[in-house]
Amino acid sequence: MNFEELCLDPRLLRAVTEMGFEQASPIQAQAIPLALEGQDLIGQAQTGTGKTAAFGLPLLQRVDPHNKKLQAVVLCPTRELAVQVAGEIRRFAKFMHGIKVLPIYGGQDISKQIRSLKGGVQVVIGTPGRIIDHIRRHTLKMEMVATMVLDEADEMLNMGFREDIETVLSHLPQERQTLLFSATMPKPIMEIAREYLHQPEIIKVVKKELTVPKIEQYYYEVNPRKKGEVLSRLLDMYDPALSLVFCNTKRKVDELVQDLKGRGYFAEGLHGDMKQSQRDRVMNGFRNGRTDILVATDVAARGLDIDDVEAVFNYDVPQDDEYYVHRIGRTGRAGRTGRAFTLVTGREIYKLKDIQRYCKTKIRRQPIPSANNVTQIRIEKILENVTDQIQSSDLTGLVAILDGYLEEQDYTAAEVAAALLQMAMGEDTGIRKQEDDFGDTGAEPGMVRLFINIGKKQKVRIGDILGAVAGESGMEGDLVGAIDMYDKFTFVEVPREYAADVIEAMQHARIKGRNINIEPASAPPNVDRK
Ligand code: AMP
């Protein structure tokens, strides 16, 4: 459903369009019209379904910017979620002047929060404990609150917030709208709903029977900043003739096409804002092989008769289970092999679990290929072609020419073949004999020992190092080897094949707010190992 059909304030519509949302997700299409009417709602929705907009847009539409009093409260289980929801609601409110949105959570300086609240805040997003604290101090006044949202209600109950939630609810005016969102609907949630919601409508996305094509499906857990890099590694490694890459917004489509073009790929984008003539041009390019990567939104891909792509990439996890099935159904048609790859960041993993459950399909986790893996696989592919060439053509004439060359130049046949291989790869393979790469760094066999100029004195813990190394490089945490920490520096061992990636990724990383320097340890350490 289009956002235009949802009777939203033009300023909200403008923000949503600017954010690149192309269509309302199923939960939004159902929740927004009811919420705008002032109806109480119970929404069964997981993170990643667009639930924040489902309650955030109607909530904003009901706020009066001229009234500086508190008018809407969102309760969230964690500080991270509160910050994230506040950020998203702020983006929606971009063109609604005079609306102040503030996240409030435990652990943050309360006097700072009080100062911000004094300036007049209409929308507060907070964790239950801290909200109660402010109610008791009379720094949050609830008498004008017209909309109350319980976000991730099941999670709040799991964290033991039931009593706190009820305390907050009991301070609200009777005359109000309450929206409850939860991924699951256990009994205590229904009890709260019965007690505090007024004739709520229950909305959930009704699942159709979904038939998932039998193709290989993989997912990769990635750092959001590394998505472009991981996608390009997968493209290089699997080298599909035609690929379809899905993004959730028009804006992402445009950004990703630029990114891929910058990396030298023949990629084009398709989304709903494009004129028919532009779409035709892109599609022609894809059909006749000028473009081999098509980046699209769900809406744009819907009307296309392209079924024979070799790989589908979900650059963003789809917002709905059904989209997932539609997307991956574009590959593996007519008995051809097809593969589907999904990049997952942070909490999207829950959405992916949901997809697997509802679609009754298995999406296998794979480690992010290292730059080295990619090169190895490209070499194997070229060598396979070489074998085919030897077996299928008459090379005697060329062999004679090469024999002459080898005699003249005093090179070995292997050296000549290696040079040709490098030329076939079109770049420096970066492959050196292992000893030359990092030398002996004093690590276990197969590992490289890296030096980082930060240690115990800077109050760094082993976990910080582990988190930074794995988080920045996208390498699995359990591949990290020994970590030895001293007062001013730390040694960490990583598998040789990931070492270059880790060094590169950590160049701009910060640990405990500090810039760091990382390099291969120069020699076996003369510091005693504990
Ligand atoms: P949520 O389920 O609210 O955590 O939203 C997940 C992500 O989807 C957020 O980054 C939103 O900005 C994005 N999003 C929400 N609604 C839409 C939509 N209709 N189209 C595209 N992206 C959306």
Side-chain angles (χ1 to χ4, degrees), residues 3 21 23-25 28 46-52 88 248-249 319:
F3 279 101
F21 293 7
Q23 61 171 353
S25 70
Q28 291 163 357
Q46 181 68 267
T47 301
T49 52
K51 67 181 165 62
T52 315
E88 182 111 340
N248 285 354
T249 64
Q319 290 186 307

Side-chain angles (χ1 to χ4, degrees), residues 319-350:
Q319 290 186 307
D320 188 66
D321 310 329
E322 231 175 284
Y323 298 174
Y324 180 81
V325 179
H326 286 160
R327 287 179 181 190
I328 70 165
R330 296 296 186 150
T331 181
R333 296 277 174 107
R336 267 184 284 250
T337 51
R339 290 195 178 95
F341 304 93
T342 304
L343 306 189
V344 181
T345 67
R347 291 162 56 87
E348 286 175 354
I349 190 70
Y350 298 111

